[in-house]
Amino acid sequence: MLNILVFIKEVPDVRIPVEYHKVTGRVRHDWTVPMINPADLAAIGMAIKVRGSIAGSRVTVIHLGPESGERIIRECLALGCDAGLRVWDDGLDELQPATKAFIFSRIAMIQGFDLVFTGIRSQDTGNAQIGLLLASRLHIPCVTSVVDLEIESGERVAKVTKMLARGYRAFIESPLPFIMSMES
């Protein structure tokens, strides 16, 4: 039985033209249509796949964002996640990745976990830092650019396939718990 956490982010749907604030140059989020970050969606899919192979496992999706994020949490539940959690306060609008990782680490410690999934990078900022910063906060290993994962029932070791440059792949074994940052 595994307790799996998936941290997700709401990003603007780029298929719809994005408007920018003339003074700051930032995306006008009040004029965008939100969607689940594509790499986070891949993480959800992999988490559900792992849950299906290990009886009694549970997938909880966690979103740090405003009330509009409840729609994407409901989408995750419809995809097969077992529970959803939204964390927000009005003062959290422009958080830096290190602060988000701090909040996520506290949530992970409270929830308890065997496996944590994140997307490798968000479609809007592309920082690619949350998984690594979260692993640093929790003092556990992190494997980035993951494209596949296998965990056999009763095993506490995961077999991970990691994407490298120029199409090469690395095969890594890691004991649980650890963090995976998924490629989309």
Side-chain angles (χ1 to χ4, degrees), residues 16-67:
I16 298 167
V18 176
E19 294 288 328
Y20 295 91
H21 193 279
K22 290 181 182 181
V23 176
T24 64
R26 292 181 178 245
V27 172
R28 292 190 63 164
H29 289 286
D30 54 332
W31 288 20
T32 62
V33 175
M35 64 181 263
I36 301 170
N37 183 51
D40 299 344
L41 194 56
I44 291 165
M46 186 61 66
I48 292 169
K49 175 186 166 192
V50 169
R51 186 206 48 208
S53 67
I54 300 174
S57 294
R58 182 172 172 79
V59 175
T60 303
V61 65
I62 301 166
H63 173 61
L64 177 63
E67 192 172 325

Side-chain angles (χ1 to χ4, degrees), residues 30-182:
D30 54 332
W31 288 20
T32 62
V33 175
M35 64 181 263
I36 301 170
N37 183 51
D40 299 344
L41 194 56
I44 291 165
M46 186 61 66
I48 292 169
K49 175 186 166 192
V50 169
R51 186 206 48 208
S53 67
I54 300 174
S57 294
R58 182 172 172 79
V59 175
T60 303
V61 65
I62 301 166
H63 173 61
L64 177 63
E67 192 172 325
S68 62
E70 289 183 16
R71 184 182 67 78
I72 67 169
I73 291 173
R74 284 192 299 276
E75 283 181 39
C76 295
L77 296 172
L79 290 170
C81 293
D82 299 300
L85 174 65
R86 183 179 66 86
V87 178
W88 189 246
D89 188 283
D90 289 334
L92 301 177
D93 285 338
E94 296 293 327
L95 291 180
Q96 297 299 314
T99 308
K100 288 179 185 178
F102 174 77
I103 293 168
F104 287 159
S105 69
R106 296 298 176 215
I107 294 168
M109 288 191 286
I110 291 167
Q111 292 287 313
F113 63 93
D114 296 298
L115 195 54
V116 175
F117 288 88
T118 69
I120 185 71
R121 72 185 52 79
S122 65
Q123 182 171 275
D124 57 349
T125 61
N127 287 333
Q129 297 177 17
I130 293 297
L132 295 168
L133 291 170
L134 185 55
S136 174
R137 284 267 175 207
L138 295 171
H139 305 289
I140 60 174
C142 179
V143 180
T144 60
S145 301
V146 173
V147 293
D148 197 17
L149 168 72
E150 289 182 29
I151 302 175
E152 294 189 25
S153 187
E155 294 289 320
R156 297 295 298 175
V157 176
K159 296 175 183 171
V160 180
T161 304
K162 174 184 170 76
M163 182 63 72
L164 301 175
R166 297 187 220 161
Y168 290 100
R169 293 175 184 241
F171 302 99
I172 301 168
E173 287 190 10
S174 178
L176 299 179
F178 77 102
I179 295 175
M180 291 185 10
S181 293
M182 295 290 300

